[in-house]
Amino acid sequence: MSEQPANPADDGDVTRADSLAREIFADVANKWALLIINVLGERTLRFGELHAEVGGISHKMLTQTLRVLERDGLVERTVHPTVPPRVDYVLTGPGQALRAMVNGMCGWTRRHLPHIEEARRRFDADRSGNA
Amino acid sequence: MSEQPANPADDGDVTRADSLAREIFADVANKWALLIINVLGERTLRFGELHAEVGGISHKMLTQTLRVLERDGLVERTVHPTVPPRVDYVLTGPGQALRAMVNGMCGWTRRHLPHIEEARRRFDADRSGNA
DNA sequence: CGGTATCCGACGAGATACTG
DNA sequence: CAGTATCTCGTCGGATACCG
């Protein structure tokens, strides 16, 4: 990520690593993935609990996003062969490291909520004036 | 954000604030917005410079995302009435605070890149086996 | 150079129904 | 209860072209 001065000597691998980083970043930098990581917090949650705690996410998107996170090794999925079935999700080490940042973002959102709300009003007011 | 125990007494405002938080979070929690905030870093950049530094973003998405960020008061847009026109973008206070977290995420991506790459290989290998 | 508008394909994402 | 499959539609997002 970030700046690559594009050293002419070491081509062919920097770019590969960079595109991979982009890919991973895209996996993680979306609304649902971040919300899931956030609610997963420290403790293990079942599929249904996740569904309830995230709120507003469809059954499909939840499984889908969870698979991506599982594939990237951010969450661990444990299937208990009981009936009815029970599946637990828990953050891995890297997942928890990421969660710290996501938590920061959530805190940021809460802290700056008034500021942003006002910024929006001003912005919207300005463009009504000279439409 | 985070857990609202849903106190039965104070309805009607928590939910409004919460949905607003969701909205803002959604504005910010997407690939392009985060990448823009990241490259904007500390210093002011022109539209064209941003376009080049982000890399892979279309003309349209750049303007579009910038407007959202401007509306939420995360970036400040300054138009110089010259010819050819020149437009500068810079992070506001809240924008810089957020950038810190985004930077963290980028660092995280770089650090865990090998781990994730391997996790992916294992995941993909496993499901080839019992397809 | 920066922004807007339009067209259009591709995927994101919900609803529903079925399996184990 | 958890997951997959299919169908559908809305929106994201790229390409192009035109204004200031």
Side-chain angles (χ1 to χ4, degrees):
Chain A
M1 240 55 175
S2 293
E3 311 80 36
Q4 241 88 34
N7 186 332
D10 63 6
D11 66 287
D13 199 35
V14 183
T15 53
R16 231 182 37 81
D18 196 36
S19 79
L20 185 61
R22 281 286 182 122
E23 209 181 303
I24 293 166
F25 191 79
D27 279 354
V28 153
N30 74 74
K31 189 185 167 187
W32 293 133
L34 292 179
L35 284 175
I36 288 173
I37 289 171
N38 189 46
V39 302
L40 211 41
E42 301 285 0
R43 82 182 200 286
T44 302
L45 285 178
R46 301 184 50 175
F47 183 89
E49 295 172 327
L50 264 167
H51 188 87
E53 293 225 26
V54 171
I57 190 172
S58 72
H59 195 100
K60 177 188 173 185
M61 280 313 294
L62 184 54
T63 28
Q64 190 172 307
T65 310
L66 281 171
R67 293 226 91 70
V68 173
L69 296 180
E70 188 196 354
R71 185 169 111 98
D72 286 350
L74 306 189
V75 305
E76 202 176 291
R77 178 170 173 268
T78 333
V79 182
H80 301 283
T82 63
V83 43
R86 173 200 180 96
V87 183
D88 288 339
Y89 292 93
V90 65
L91 287 182
T92 63
Q96 294 197 16
L98 183 57
R99 188 191 62 88
M101 259 90 67
V102 178
N103 240 358
M105 282 186 53
C106 289
W108 175 91
T109 305
R110 245 178 287 115
R111 273 196 306 284
H112 295 281
L113 213 138
H115 176 282
I116 291 173
E117 198 171 7
E118 195 203 308
R120 283 187 172 189
R121 283 195 305 94
R122 273 211 309 273
F123 184 90
D124 294 343
D126 282 10
R127 60 171 21 206
S128 303
N130 42 25
Chain B
M1 242 53 174
S2 293
E3 312 79 37
Q4 242 88 34
N7 185 332
D10 63 9
D11 66 286
D13 200 34
V14 182
T15 53
R16 232 181 37 80
D18 196 37
S19 79
L20 186 61
R22 282 285 181 121
E23 208 181 303
I24 293 165
F25 191 79
D27 280 354
V28 154
N30 74 73
K31 188 185 166 186
W32 292 133
L34 292 180
L35 283 176
I36 288 173
I37 289 170
N38 189 46
V39 302
L40 211 42
E42 300 287 0
R43 81 182 202 285
T44 302
L45 285 178
R46 301 184 51 175
F47 184 88
E49 295 172 326
L50 264 167
H51 188 84
E53 294 226 26
V54 172
I57 189 172
S58 72
H59 194 100
K60 177 189 174 184
M61 280 312 294
L62 183 55
T63 30
Q64 189 172 309
T65 309
L66 280 170
R67 293 226 90 69
V68 173
L69 296 180
E70 187 196 354
R71 185 169 110 99
D72 287 348
L74 306 190
V75 305
E76 202 176 291
R77 177 171 174 269
T78 333
V79 181
H80 299 90
T82 63
V83 41
R86 173 201 179 97
V87 183
D88 288 339
Y89 291 93
V90 65
L91 288 181
T92 63
Q96 296 198 14
L98 183 57
R99 187 191 62 87
M101 257 92 64
V102 179
N103 242 355
M105 282 185 53
C106 290
W108 175 91
T109 306
R110 244 178 286 116
R111 272 196 306 284
H112 296 281
L113 213 137
H115 176 282
I116 292 174
E117 200 171 8
E118 195 202 308
R120 283 186 171 190
R121 282 195 304 93
R122 273 212 310 273
F123 184 90
D124 294 344
D126 281 9
R127 58 170 24 205
S128 302
N130 42 24

